[in-house]
Amino acid sequence: MLNVLRKVLLVCALTLLIVSTGAYAESWTSFKYAEFDGVDITPAFATDTLTYTVAFSDIIQPTITIGGIEHDIAWIQGFYTLSNNGINTFYAGGDNIVDPANPKNVLWKWDTNPNISSPNNYVVAGWSAQGTEDRIVPNTVNDNKSFTYTDFMLNGTSVIYGLHVGYYDEGQEKNITAFYKPTGNVVPEVPASVLFGIGGPMLGAVSLLRKRFGR
């Protein structure tokens, strides 16, 4: 009888764990480093800049390089803002992106990994495509997508983007999908008011830094 009770409690505990973790986005550590080519995120992340666009280049085949091996990107099915260090948080608000003709049909789900003690403060916040037809796909009519936060405040936190990417692995001869973030350091966004106060030389320096670090 005692063994049966233990098994029941174990099942209940696992169920609670699955339910509780399923409500959040992938953890910050789920995003591994990779190099992207032919993927543009615009504009640069900045406080109070709410709308960002993910777009594939129409000139080259978009690729992702993992561990020195280059793969063709097949699709993007998630776009996120990530805390640069996984500790500092940023403030963000967002909603599900729904079908205008049928608001009950969620196309892209608002997906977050929060700081439990501080509502709307996240280390991961963005959107996840709910159907294969909603993915961002190179060389199609769906080769770009814009995402709008209802609130976006960096609070001094450096952030980078994260993508849920599908790519073809020639070695395994199959499509693989996983979470990745760009390699390299991140330059914190400098408020425009500060830049204009400093003047032209600083603007030029920041521009060069952004180019150097892919911003």
Side-chain angles (χ1 to χ4, degrees):
M1 183 65 180
L2 183 58
N3 287 335
V4 172
L5 181 58
R6 285 174 176 170
K7 289 180 179 179
V8 170
L9 290 174
L10 178 60
V11 170
C12 290
L14 289 173
T15 301
L16 287 173
L17 178 62
I18 292 170
V19 170
S20 62
T21 56
Y24 302 135
E26 292 295 319
S27 69
W28 185 87
T29 55
S30 295
F31 290 82
K32 307 305 180 184
Y33 284 109
E35 295 180 21
F36 297 100
D37 192 17
V39 180
D40 296 317
I41 313 293
T42 54
F45 289 112
T47 288
D48 291 334
T49 299
L50 302 180
T51 299
Y52 299 90
T53 299
V54 182
F56 284 119
S57 169
D58 57 0
I59 301 175
I60 63 173
Q61 165 63 45
T63 61
I64 181 171
T65 301
I66 306 164
I69 301 176
E70 185 179 274
H71 309 277
D72 289 345
I73 293 177
W75 64 75
I76 290 173
Q77 62 185 51
F79 164 70
Y80 300 91
T81 299
L82 307 177
S83 164
N84 187 36
N85 58 12
I87 300 172
N88 297 332
T89 60
F90 56 91
Y91 182 90
D95 297 311
N96 292 339
I97 300 173
V98 301
D99 183 352
N102 180 13
K104 292 184 178 181
N105 182 19
V106 177
L107 307 180
W108 287 74
K109 180 184 177 182
W110 173 241
D111 200 14
T112 63
N113 194 311
N115 176 345
I116 302 298
S117 63
S118 185
N120 286 20
N121 281 267
Y122 303 114
V123 293
V124 178
W127 290 265
S128 175
Q130 298 302 287
T132 57
E133 67 277 8
D134 301 313
R135 293 168 170 167
I136 309 169
V137 181
N139 303 313
T140 70
V141 295
N142 292 334
D143 65 354
N144 67 88
K145 178 72 179 178
S146 293
F147 302 91
T148 300
Y149 291 94
T150 56
D151 299 283
F152 194 71
M153 185 72 67
L154 297 185
N155 298 326
T157 300
S158 297
V159 296
I160 55 178
Y161 67 87
L163 301 174
H164 189 179
V165 180
Y167 61 91
Y168 184 73
D169 188 311
E170 294 185 353
Q172 300 186 53
E173 297 184 344
K174 66 179 182 179
N175 283 323
I176 295 177
T177 180
F179 295 82
Y180 293 98
K181 56 191 174 184
T183 57
N185 295 321
V186 177
V187 178
E189 194 67 22
V190 180
S193 59
V194 174
L195 293 178
F196 285 122
I198 295 173
M202 186 61 184
L203 283 170
V206 171
S207 176
L208 289 173
L209 283 171
R210 285 180 179 168
K211 290 180 180 178
R212 168 66 179 83
F213 292 112
R215 287 293 304 277

